[in-house]
mmCIF file of all heavy atoms in Angstrom:
data_model
loop_
_atom_site.group_PDB
_atom_site.id
_atom_site.type_symbol
_atom_site.label_atom_id
_atom_site.label_comp_id
_atom_site.label_asym_id
_atom_site.label_seq_id
_atom_site.Cartn_x
_atom_site.Cartn_y
_atom_site.Cartn_z
ATOM 1 N N GLU J 565 -17.198 -0.430 10.356
ATOM 2 C CA GLU J 565 -16.389 -0.088 11.437
ATOM 3 C C GLU J 565 -14.899 0.136 11.280
ATOM 4 O O GLU J 565 -14.351 0.969 11.970
ATOM 5 C CB GLU J 565 -16.680 -1.232 12.409
ATOM 6 C CG GLU J 565 -18.008 -1.396 12.995
ATOM 7 C CD GLU J 565 -18.526 -2.705 13.582
ATOM 8 O OE1 GLU J 565 -17.941 -3.667 13.219
ATOM 9 O OE2 GLU J 565 -19.255 -2.699 14.607
ATOM 10 N N ILE J 566 -14.421 -0.653 10.401
ATOM 11 C CA ILE J 566 -12.992 -0.418 10.033
ATOM 12 C C ILE J 566 -12.685 0.832 9.345
ATOM 13 O O ILE J 566 -11.829 1.643 9.787
ATOM 14 C CB ILE J 566 -12.452 -1.641 9.201
ATOM 15 C CG1 ILE J 566 -12.448 -2.909 10.036
ATOM 16 C CG2 ILE J 566 -11.097 -1.305 8.585
ATOM 17 C CD1 ILE J 566 -12.240 -4.157 9.265
ATOM 18 N N ARG J 567 -13.599 1.310 8.520
ATOM 19 C CA ARG J 567 -13.485 2.546 7.896
ATOM 20 C C ARG J 567 -13.562 3.642 8.952
ATOM 21 O O ARG J 567 -12.826 4.713 9.009
ATOM 22 C CB ARG J 567 -14.489 2.852 6.838
ATOM 23 C CG ARG J 567 -14.097 2.101 5.447
ATOM 24 C CD ARG J 567 -14.853 2.421 4.393
ATOM 25 N NE ARG J 567 -14.700 1.787 3.223
ATOM 26 C CZ ARG J 567 -13.598 1.757 2.448
ATOM 27 N NH1 ARG J 567 -12.618 2.687 2.753
ATOM 28 N NH2 ARG J 567 -13.482 1.052 1.392
ATOM 29 N N HIS J 568 -14.469 3.600 9.896
ATOM 30 C CA HIS J 568 -14.631 4.571 10.915
ATOM 31 C C HIS J 568 -13.319 4.690 11.815
ATOM 32 O O HIS J 568 -12.896 5.825 11.980
ATOM 33 C CB HIS J 568 -15.715 4.156 11.901
ATOM 34 C CG HIS J 568 -15.905 5.000 12.985
ATOM 35 N ND1 HIS J 568 -16.648 6.305 12.778
ATOM 36 C CD2 HIS J 568 -15.639 5.005 14.358
ATOM 37 C CE1 HIS J 568 -16.561 6.920 14.028
ATOM 38 N NE2 HIS J 568 -16.051 6.166 14.995
ATOM 39 N N LEU J 569 -12.666 3.581 12.028
ATOM 40 C CA LEU J 569 -11.398 3.623 12.831
ATOM 41 C C LEU J 569 -10.183 3.976 11.961
ATOM 42 O O LEU J 569 -9.374 4.808 12.449
ATOM 43 C CB LEU J 569 -11.109 2.293 13.370
ATOM 44 C CG LEU J 569 -12.006 1.767 14.498
ATOM 45 C CD1 LEU J 569 -11.751 0.284 14.719
ATOM 46 C CD2 LEU J 569 -11.672 2.571 15.832
ATOM 47 N N CYS J 570 -9.988 3.562 10.770
ATOM 48 C CA CYS J 570 -8.910 3.771 9.936
ATOM 49 C C CYS J 570 -9.045 5.058 8.986
ATOM 50 O O CYS J 570 -7.931 5.513 8.510
ATOM 51 C CB CYS J 570 -8.620 2.608 8.994
ATOM 52 S SG CYS J 570 -8.227 1.084 10.079
ATOM 53 N N GLY J 571 -10.154 5.497 8.805
ATOM 54 C CA GLY J 571 -10.254 6.710 7.838
ATOM 55 C C GLY J 571 -10.313 6.190 6.457
ATOM 56 O O GLY J 571 -10.806 5.154 6.051
ATOM 57 N N ASP J 572 -9.803 7.006 5.609
ATOM 58 C CA ASP J 572 -9.756 6.849 4.145
ATOM 59 C C ASP J 572 -8.702 5.765 3.703
ATOM 60 O O ASP J 572 -7.662 6.123 3.402
ATOM 61 C CB ASP J 572 -9.635 8.124 3.419
ATOM 62 C CG ASP J 572 -9.738 8.118 1.929
ATOM 63 O OD1 ASP J 572 -10.506 7.138 1.471
ATOM 64 O OD2 ASP J 572 -9.159 8.875 1.176
ATOM 65 N N ILE J 573 -9.111 4.525 3.825
ATOM 66 C CA ILE J 573 -8.223 3.464 3.231
ATOM 67 C C ILE J 573 -8.905 2.829 2.075
ATOM 68 O O ILE J 573 -10.238 2.863 1.904
ATOM 69 C CB ILE J 573 -7.833 2.429 4.368
ATOM 70 C CG1 ILE J 573 -9.024 1.735 4.953
ATOM 71 C CG2 ILE J 573 -7.068 3.193 5.425
ATOM 72 C CD1 ILE J 573 -8.633 0.492 5.845
ATOM 73 N N LEU J 574 -8.160 2.095 1.296
ATOM 74 C CA LEU J 574 -8.603 1.392 0.116
ATOM 75 C C LEU J 574 -9.468 0.238 0.456
ATOM 76 O O LEU J 574 -9.435 -0.368 1.460
ATOM 77 C CB LEU J 574 -7.417 0.897 -0.705
ATOM 78 C CG LEU J 574 -6.518 2.005 -1.111
ATOM 79 C CD1 LEU J 574 -5.076 1.300 -1.652
ATOM 80 C CD2 LEU J 574 -7.183 2.859 -2.208
ATOM 81 N N ASP J 575 -10.448 -0.074 -0.525
ATOM 82 C CA ASP J 575 -11.290 -1.230 -0.350
ATOM 83 C C ASP J 575 -10.663 -2.473 -0.072
ATOM 84 O O ASP J 575 -10.998 -3.302 0.705
ATOM 85 C CB ASP J 575 -12.143 -1.447 -1.596
ATOM 86 C CG ASP J 575 -13.262 -0.313 -1.740
ATOM 87 O OD1 ASP J 575 -13.447 0.392 -0.721
ATOM 88 O OD2 ASP J 575 -13.756 -0.152 -2.901
ATOM 89 N N SER J 576 -9.436 -2.692 -0.830
ATOM 90 C CA SER J 576 -8.790 -3.971 -0.575
ATOM 91 C C SER J 576 -8.090 -3.953 0.738
ATOM 92 O O SER J 576 -7.804 -5.123 1.284
ATOM 93 C CB SER J 576 -7.727 -4.089 -1.790
ATOM 94 O OG SER J 576 -6.817 -2.901 -1.768
ATOM 95 N N GLN J 577 -7.751 -2.860 1.325
ATOM 96 C CA GLN J 577 -7.235 -2.878 2.729
ATOM 97 C C GLN J 577 -8.239 -3.208 3.815
ATOM 98 O O GLN J 577 -8.052 -3.927 4.645
ATOM 99 C CB GLN J 577 -6.591 -1.558 3.026
ATOM 100 C CG GLN J 577 -5.256 -1.233 2.318
ATOM 101 C CD GLN J 577 -4.819 0.148 2.560
ATOM 102 O OE1 GLN J 577 -5.399 1.104 2.102
ATOM 103 N NE2 GLN J 577 -3.664 0.186 3.320
ATOM 104 N N VAL J 578 -9.506 -2.556 3.552
ATOM 105 C CA VAL J 578 -10.511 -3.067 4.394
ATOM 106 C C VAL J 578 -10.828 -4.410 4.280
ATOM 107 O O VAL J 578 -10.908 -5.045 5.421
ATOM 108 C CB VAL J 578 -11.764 -2.217 3.935
ATOM 109 C CG1 VAL J 578 -12.982 -2.674 4.711
ATOM 110 C CG2 VAL J 578 -11.647 -0.686 4.194
ATOM 111 N N GLU J 579 -10.868 -5.001 3.134
ATOM 112 C CA GLU J 579 -11.115 -6.432 2.840
ATOM 113 C C GLU J 579 -10.134 -7.345 3.579
ATOM 114 O O GLU J 579 -10.374 -8.278 4.274
ATOM 115 C CB GLU J 579 -11.136 -6.783 1.451
ATOM 116 C CG GLU J 579 -12.364 -6.200 0.693
ATOM 117 C CD GLU J 579 -12.214 -6.262 -0.833
ATOM 118 O OE1 GLU J 579 -11.347 -7.109 -1.292
ATOM 119 O OE2 GLU J 579 -13.142 -5.750 -1.440
ATOM 120 N N ALA J 580 -8.846 -6.977 3.556
ATOM 121 C CA ALA J 580 -7.741 -7.650 4.208
ATOM 122 C C ALA J 580 -7.847 -7.606 5.695
ATOM 123 O O ALA J 580 -7.661 -8.589 6.381
ATOM 124 C CB ALA J 580 -6.376 -7.180 3.659
ATOM 125 N N ILE J 581 -8.302 -6.375 6.248
ATOM 126 C CA ILE J 581 -8.453 -6.334 7.633
ATOM 127 C C ILE J 581 -9.449 -7.120 8.161
ATOM 128 O O ILE J 581 -9.441 -7.731 9.175
ATOM 129 C CB ILE J 581 -8.546 -4.839 8.094
ATOM 130 C CG1 ILE J 581 -7.217 -3.940 7.800
ATOM 131 C CG2 ILE J 581 -8.859 -4.599 9.557
ATOM 132 C CD1 ILE J 581 -7.220 -2.508 7.942
ATOM 133 N N VAL J 582 -10.694 -7.040 7.445
ATOM 134 C CA VAL J 582 -11.864 -7.955 7.752
ATOM 135 C C VAL J 582 -11.430 -9.362 7.778
ATOM 136 O O VAL J 582 -11.588 -10.084 8.687
ATOM 137 C CB VAL J 582 -12.985 -7.715 6.878
ATOM 138 C CG1 VAL J 582 -14.162 -8.824 7.041
ATOM 139 C CG2 VAL J 582 -13.720 -6.324 6.937
ATOM 140 N N ALA J 583 -10.668 -9.850 6.779
ATOM 141 C CA ALA J 583 -10.171 -11.249 6.721
ATOM 142 C C ALA J 583 -9.274 -11.530 7.890
ATOM 143 O O ALA J 583 -9.169 -12.697 8.226
ATOM 144 C CB ALA J 583 -9.537 -11.423 5.277
ATOM 145 N N SER J 584 -8.650 -10.619 8.312
ATOM 146 C CA SER J 584 -7.679 -10.909 9.472
ATOM 147 C C SER J 584 -8.343 -11.179 10.881
ATOM 148 O O SER J 584 -7.717 -11.755 11.714
ATOM 149 C CB SER J 584 -6.748 -9.688 9.728
ATOM 150 O OG SER J 584 -7.435 -8.647 10.480
ATOM 151 N N GLY J 585 -9.526 -10.841 10.932
ATOM 152 C CA GLY J 585 -10.414 -11.092 12.149
ATOM 153 C C GLY J 585 -10.038 -10.064 13.187
ATOM 154 O O GLY J 585 -10.292 -10.270 14.420
ATOM 155 N N ALA J 586 -9.489 -8.967 12.848
ATOM 156 C CA ALA J 586 -8.953 -7.819 13.859
ATOM 157 C C ALA J 586 -10.155 -7.352 14.569
ATOM 158 O O ALA J 586 -11.245 -7.110 14.118
ATOM 159 C CB ALA J 586 -8.250 -6.730 13.011
ATOM 160 N N GLU J 587 -9.904 -7.051 15.931
ATOM 161 C CA GLU J 587 -10.765 -6.355 16.755
ATOM 162 C C GLU J 587 -10.325 -4.989 16.988
ATOM 163 O O GLU J 587 -9.257 -4.544 16.481
ATOM 164 C CB GLU J 587 -10.790 -7.209 18.091
ATOM 165 C CG GLU J 587 -11.366 -8.607 17.799
ATOM 166 C CD GLU J 587 -11.400 -9.437 19.067
ATOM 167 O OE1 GLU J 587 -10.900 -9.008 20.240
ATOM 168 O OE2 GLU J 587 -11.769 -10.638 19.102
ATOM 169 N N ILE J 588 -11.067 -4.229 17.608
ATOM 170 C CA ILE J 588 -10.879 -2.739 17.839
ATOM 171 C C ILE J 588 -9.437 -2.571 18.388
ATOM 172 O O ILE J 588 -8.767 -1.785 17.925
ATOM 173 C CB ILE J 588 -11.869 -2.070 18.737
ATOM 174 C CG1 ILE J 588 -13.211 -2.078 17.997
ATOM 175 C CG2 ILE J 588 -11.545 -0.824 19.107
ATOM 176 C CD1 ILE J 588 -14.377 -1.444 18.849
ATOM 177 N N ALA J 589 -9.065 -3.244 19.451
ATOM 178 C CA ALA J 589 -7.819 -3.083 20.017
ATOM 179 C C ALA J 589 -6.638 -3.422 19.074
ATOM 180 O O ALA J 589 -5.625 -2.701 19.094
ATOM 181 C CB ALA J 589 -7.677 -4.008 21.312
ATOM 182 N N ASP J 590 -6.862 -4.323 18.260
ATOM 183 C CA ASP J 590 -5.794 -4.716 17.268
ATOM 184 C C ASP J 590 -5.520 -3.457 16.339
ATOM 185 O O ASP J 590 -4.438 -3.146 16.018
ATOM 186 C CB ASP J 590 -6.076 -5.943 16.353
ATOM 187 C CG ASP J 590 -6.399 -7.145 17.296
ATOM 188 O OD1 ASP J 590 -5.598 -7.395 18.241
ATOM 189 O OD2 ASP J 590 -7.404 -7.922 16.969
ATOM 190 N N ILE J 591 -6.654 -2.884 15.794
ATOM 191 C CA ILE J 591 -6.594 -1.862 14.951
ATOM 192 C C ILE J 591 -6.043 -0.503 15.551
ATOM 193 O O ILE J 591 -5.208 0.046 14.951
ATOM 194 C CB ILE J 591 -7.941 -1.547 14.282
ATOM 195 C CG1 ILE J 591 -8.354 -2.812 13.409
ATOM 196 C CG2 ILE J 591 -7.957 -0.381 13.446
ATOM 197 C CD1 ILE J 591 -9.880 -2.760 12.877
ATOM 198 N N GLU J 592 -6.481 -0.315 16.619
ATOM 199 C CA GLU J 592 -5.932 0.854 17.455
ATOM 200 C C GLU J 592 -4.436 0.826 17.733
ATOM 201 O O GLU J 592 -3.829 1.841 17.620
ATOM 202 C CB GLU J 592 -6.788 1.112 18.793
ATOM 203 C CG GLU J 592 -8.177 1.603 18.575
ATOM 204 C CD GLU J 592 -8.995 1.643 19.871
ATOM 205 O OE1 GLU J 592 -8.644 1.028 20.809
ATOM 206 O OE2 GLU J 592 -10.071 2.308 19.741
ATOM 207 N N THR J 593 -4.043 -0.389 17.905
ATOM 208 C CA THR J 593 -2.520 -0.583 18.320
ATOM 209 C C THR J 593 -1.747 -0.476 17.014
ATOM 210 O O THR J 593 -0.821 0.225 17.004
ATOM 211 C CB THR J 593 -2.364 -2.089 18.886
ATOM 212 O OG1 THR J 593 -3.028 -2.180 20.181
ATOM 213 C CG2 THR J 593 -0.860 -2.284 19.079
ATOM 214 N N ALA J 594 -2.337 -1.018 15.947
ATOM 215 C CA ALA J 594 -1.603 -0.809 14.652
ATOM 216 C C ALA J 594 -1.577 0.627 14.067
ATOM 217 O O ALA J 594 -0.592 1.124 13.743
ATOM 218 C CB ALA J 594 -2.258 -1.741 13.646
ATOM 219 N N LEU J 595 -2.654 1.315 14.401
ATOM 220 C CA LEU J 595 -2.676 2.705 13.915
ATOM 221 C C LEU J 595 -1.715 3.577 14.797
ATOM 222 O O LEU J 595 -1.193 4.429 14.313
ATOM 223 C CB LEU J 595 -4.198 3.240 14.147
ATOM 224 C CG LEU J 595 -5.224 2.670 13.087
ATOM 225 C CD1 LEU J 595 -6.606 3.153 13.435
ATOM 226 C CD2 LEU J 595 -4.770 3.099 11.682
ATOM 227 N N ALA J 596 -1.573 3.218 16.069
ATOM 228 C CA ALA J 596 -0.711 3.959 16.929
ATOM 229 C C ALA J 596 0.737 3.806 16.409
ATOM 230 O O ALA J 596 1.515 4.723 16.240
ATOM 231 C CB ALA J 596 -0.883 3.499 18.337
ATOM 232 N N TYR J 597 1.079 2.502 16.060
ATOM 233 C CA TYR J 597 2.432 2.216 15.560
ATOM 234 C C TYR J 597 2.542 2.867 14.227
ATOM 235 O O TYR J 597 3.685 3.531 14.002
ATOM 236 C CB TYR J 597 2.581 0.719 15.393
ATOM 237 C CG TYR J 597 3.232 0.120 16.615
ATOM 238 C CD1 TYR J 597 2.453 -0.071 17.789
ATOM 239 C CD2 TYR J 597 4.502 -0.324 16.612
ATOM 240 C CE1 TYR J 597 3.047 -0.706 18.869
ATOM 241 C CE2 TYR J 597 5.106 -1.014 17.686
ATOM 242 C CZ TYR J 597 4.329 -1.170 18.858
ATOM 243 O OH TYR J 597 4.843 -1.729 19.943
ATOM 244 N N ALA J 598 1.729 2.912 13.335
ATOM 245 C CA ALA J 598 1.731 3.515 12.017
ATOM 246 C C ALA J 598 1.891 4.993 12.131
ATOM 247 O O ALA J 598 2.508 5.677 11.282
ATOM 248 C CB ALA J 598 0.397 3.219 11.139
ATOM 249 N N ALA J 599 1.349 5.656 13.181
ATOM 250 C CA ALA J 599 1.498 7.117 13.351
ATOM 251 C C ALA J 599 2.730 7.432 14.071
ATOM 252 O O ALA J 599 3.011 8.487 14.309
ATOM 253 C CB ALA J 599 0.243 7.576 14.155
ATOM 254 N N GLY J 600 3.523 6.477 14.361
ATOM 255 C CA GLY J 600 4.785 6.599 15.037
ATOM 256 C C GLY J 600 4.567 6.955 16.510
ATOM 257 O O GLY J 600 5.478 7.575 17.146
ATOM 258 N N MET J 601 3.655 6.533 17.035
ATOM 259 C CA MET J 601 3.300 6.698 18.495
ATOM 260 C C MET J 601 3.611 5.375 19.319
ATOM 261 O O MET J 601 3.084 5.113 20.324
ATOM 262 C CB MET J 601 1.825 7.057 18.722
ATOM 263 C CG MET J 601 1.539 8.433 18.122
ATOM 264 S SD MET J 601 0.001 9.126 18.415
ATOM 265 C CE MET J 601 -1.222 7.808 18.172
ATOM 266 N N ASP J 602 4.486 4.698 18.856
ATOM 267 C CA ASP J 602 4.735 3.302 19.527
ATOM 268 C C ASP J 602 5.348 3.626 20.998
ATOM 269 O O ASP J 602 5.169 2.752 21.834
ATOM 270 C CB ASP J 602 5.878 2.568 18.857
ATOM 271 C CG ASP J 602 7.171 3.282 18.541
ATOM 272 O OD1 ASP J 602 7.149 4.441 18.658
ATOM 273 O OD2 ASP J 602 8.118 2.510 18.346
#
């Protein structure tokens, strides 16, 4: 599910996001900031 939302990211990044307990809204918000759409 994380790869579906984030696209092509590293395995270690996926593992870290899983470990964070992030939910869809958390990831979508972070991706918006990362894309400069704050």
Side-chain angles (χ1 to χ4, degrees):
E565 294 165 324
I566 290 169
R567 285 195 186 284
H568 177 76
L569 289 168
C570 297
D572 187 25
I573 62 174
L574 301 166
D575 290 342
S576 54
Q577 287 175 294
V578 172
E579 292 168 9
I581 294 171
V582 168
S584 76
E587 297 175 358
I588 290 173
D590 302 317
I591 294 172
E592 289 175 340
T593 299
L595 290 171
Y597 270 72
M601 298 186 311
D602 57 342

